[in-house]
Amino acid sequence: MQRRTYLAVTGGAVAALAGCSGGDGGSGGDEYGDWFSNVDNFDGEVDRTGTAAVTVEVGADDGFAFAPAAVQVDPGTTVTWEWIGKGGRHNVVERNGAFASPYHSGEGATFEWTAGESGLFPYFCDPHREMGMKGGVRVI
Protein backbone atom coordinates (compact mmCIF):
# COMPACT_ATOMS: atom_id res chain seq x y z
CA MET A 1 0.00 0.00 0.00
CA GLN A 2 1.39 3.39 -0.91
CA ARG A 3 1.89 5.93 1.87
CA ARG A 4 -0.72 8.29 0.41
CA THR A 5 -3.35 5.51 0.25
CA TYR A 6 -2.49 4.37 3.78
CA LEU A 7 -2.94 7.90 5.17
CA ALA A 8 -6.24 8.35 3.36
CA VAL A 9 -7.60 5.04 4.66
CA THR A 10 -6.41 5.41 8.25
CA GLY A 11 -7.37 9.07 8.40
CA GLY A 12 -10.91 8.18 7.36
CA ALA A 13 -11.07 5.43 9.97
CA VAL A 14 -9.90 7.80 12.71
CA ALA A 15 -12.49 10.38 11.64
CA ALA A 16 -15.23 7.74 11.67
CA LEU A 17 -14.22 6.55 15.14
CA ALA A 18 -14.11 10.11 16.44
CA GLY A 19 -17.73 10.50 15.39
CA CYS A 20 -18.66 7.43 17.45
CA SER A 21 -17.07 8.60 20.69
CA GLY A 22 -20.45 9.60 22.13
CA GLY A 23 -19.51 13.17 22.92
CA ASP A 24 -20.85 16.19 21.14
CA GLY A 25 -19.07 18.82 23.17
CA GLY A 26 -22.05 19.25 25.48
CA SER A 27 -24.31 20.71 22.81
CA GLY A 28 -26.74 17.83 23.09
CA GLY A 29 -27.85 18.18 19.49
CA ASP A 30 -26.60 14.99 17.84
CA GLU A 31 -28.19 12.34 20.04
CA TYR A 32 -31.52 14.14 20.23
CA GLY A 33 -31.86 13.91 16.44
CA ASP A 34 -34.65 16.24 15.31
CA TRP A 35 -36.33 16.34 18.75
CA PHE A 36 -35.69 20.07 19.11
CA SER A 37 -36.38 21.01 15.48
CA ASN A 38 -39.47 23.07 16.37
CA VAL A 39 -38.28 24.35 19.75
CA ASP A 40 -37.55 28.09 19.71
CA ASN A 41 -35.40 28.31 22.86
CA PHE A 42 -33.08 25.29 22.41
CA ASP A 43 -29.47 26.39 22.13
CA GLY A 44 -27.74 23.22 23.31
CA GLU A 45 -27.73 21.65 26.74
CA VAL A 46 -27.06 23.66 29.87
CA ASP A 47 -24.43 21.92 31.99
CA ARG A 48 -25.76 21.46 35.52
CA THR A 49 -23.43 18.62 36.46
CA GLY A 50 -21.98 18.95 39.93
CA THR A 51 -25.23 20.26 41.41
CA ALA A 52 -27.63 18.32 43.58
CA ALA A 53 -30.77 20.02 42.26
CA VAL A 54 -31.89 21.68 39.03
CA THR A 55 -35.06 23.69 38.33
CA VAL A 56 -36.72 23.87 34.91
CA GLU A 57 -39.47 26.43 34.33
CA VAL A 58 -42.72 25.15 32.81
CA GLY A 59 -44.54 27.72 30.68
CA ALA A 60 -41.48 29.87 30.00
CA ASP A 61 -41.03 32.46 27.25
CA ASP A 62 -44.38 32.74 25.45
CA GLY A 63 -45.95 30.26 27.90
CA PHE A 64 -45.20 27.22 25.73
CA ALA A 65 -41.59 26.35 26.56
CA PHE A 66 -39.38 24.72 29.15
CA ALA A 67 -36.41 26.78 30.36
CA PRO A 68 -33.76 25.71 30.04
CA ALA A 69 -34.87 23.45 27.21
CA ALA A 70 -32.19 20.83 27.90
CA VAL A 71 -29.87 20.13 30.81
CA GLN A 72 -27.00 17.79 31.63
CA VAL A 73 -27.00 16.37 35.15
CA ASP A 74 -25.26 13.72 37.21
CA PRO A 75 -26.98 10.58 38.52
CA GLY A 76 -28.73 11.42 41.79
CA THR A 77 -29.58 14.99 40.78
CA THR A 78 -33.15 16.05 41.53
CA VAL A 79 -34.78 17.81 38.60
CA THR A 80 -37.73 20.00 39.60
CA TRP A 81 -40.13 21.37 37.01
CA GLU A 82 -41.81 24.51 38.33
CA TRP A 83 -44.94 25.97 36.73
CA ILE A 84 -44.72 29.74 36.30
CA GLY A 85 -48.42 30.19 35.52
CA LYS A 86 -48.21 31.05 31.81
CA GLY A 87 -49.64 29.19 28.82
CA GLY A 88 -52.50 27.37 30.52
CA ARG A 89 -52.48 23.74 31.59
CA HIS A 90 -49.20 21.82 31.19
CA ASN A 91 -47.67 18.50 32.13
CA VAL A 92 -44.22 16.91 31.78
CA VAL A 93 -44.04 13.51 30.06
CA GLU A 94 -40.82 11.66 29.24
CA ARG A 95 -41.01 10.21 25.71
CA ASN A 96 -40.41 6.60 26.82
CA GLY A 97 -42.33 6.70 30.10
CA ALA A 98 -39.48 7.28 32.60
CA PHE A 99 -41.54 10.01 34.28
CA ALA A 100 -44.86 11.82 33.91
CA SER A 101 -46.40 14.61 35.93
CA PRO A 102 -50.04 15.46 36.47
CA TYR A 103 -51.47 18.55 34.75
CA HIS A 104 -51.01 21.90 36.47
CA SER A 105 -51.79 25.44 35.44
CA GLY A 106 -51.12 27.49 38.54
CA GLU A 107 -47.91 29.27 39.38
CA GLY A 108 -45.75 27.46 41.93
CA ALA A 109 -46.83 23.89 41.20
CA THR A 110 -43.87 21.50 41.02
CA PHE A 111 -42.95 18.02 39.86
CA GLU A 112 -39.71 16.27 40.84
CA TRP A 113 -37.72 13.42 39.32
CA THR A 114 -34.42 12.09 40.60
CA ALA A 115 -32.03 11.12 37.82
CA GLY A 116 -30.95 7.51 37.95
CA GLU A 117 -28.56 5.85 35.57
CA SER A 118 -26.99 7.54 32.57
CA GLY A 119 -29.19 8.17 29.58
CA LEU A 120 -31.05 10.64 27.44
CA PHE A 121 -34.57 11.61 28.55
CA PRO A 122 -36.48 13.71 25.99
CA TYR A 123 -39.79 15.01 27.38
CA PHE A 124 -42.75 17.16 26.34
CA CYS A 125 -45.95 18.82 27.44
CA ASP A 126 -48.68 16.56 26.05
CA PRO A 127 -51.18 19.21 24.87
CA HIS A 128 -48.44 21.51 23.49
CA ARG A 129 -45.95 19.04 22.03
CA GLU A 130 -46.71 19.97 18.42
CA MET A 131 -46.17 23.63 19.33
CA GLY A 132 -42.59 22.78 20.32
CA MET A 133 -42.98 22.52 24.08
CA LYS A 134 -40.27 19.91 24.46
CA GLY A 135 -37.20 19.47 26.62
CA GLY A 136 -34.50 17.03 27.52
CA VAL A 137 -32.40 15.77 30.39
CA ARG A 138 -29.09 14.02 29.78
CA VAL A 139 -27.80 12.05 32.75
CA ILE A 140 -24.05 11.54 32.36
Side-chain angles (χ1 to χ4, degrees):
M1 179 180 293
Q2 292 183 334
R3 182 174 186 268
R4 203 174 291 173
T5 304
Y6 174 79
L7 290 175
V9 169
T10 58
V14 169
L17 287 174
C20 294
S21 66
D24 60 16
S27 71
D30 294 342
E31 292 179 59
Y32 284 106
D34 66 353
W35 182 250
F36 288 107
S37 64
N38 65 336
V39 176
D40 293 337
N41 69 333
F42 176 72
D43 192 25
E45 292 175 329
V46 176
D47 187 352
R48 294 290 192 253
T49 56
T51 60
V54 173
T55 300
V56 175
E57 292 183 343
V58 179
D61 296 340
D62 61 357
F64 302 103
F66 295 104
V71 295
Q72 280 185 9
V73 300
D74 297 310
T77 301
T78 299
V79 180
T80 302
W81 287 268
E82 183 174 354
W83 279 249
I84 61 172
K86 292 169 46 181
R89 200 174 104 160
H90 303 295
N91 66 348
V92 179
V93 180
E94 198 276 331
R95 180 173 63 185
N96 295 313
F99 52 82
S101 78
Y103 287 98
H104 295 288
S105 57
E107 181 178 1
T110 61
F111 171 71
E112 291 184 353
W113 174 72
T114 301
E117 62 187 57
S118 298
L120 193 64
F121 300 90
Y123 62 88
F124 55 91
C125 170
D126 198 30
H128 304 117
R129 179 178 183 172
E130 296 306 314
M131 294 175 65
M133 191 168 179
K134 298 185 278 189
V137 176
R138 179 189 308 270
V139 182
I140 58 172

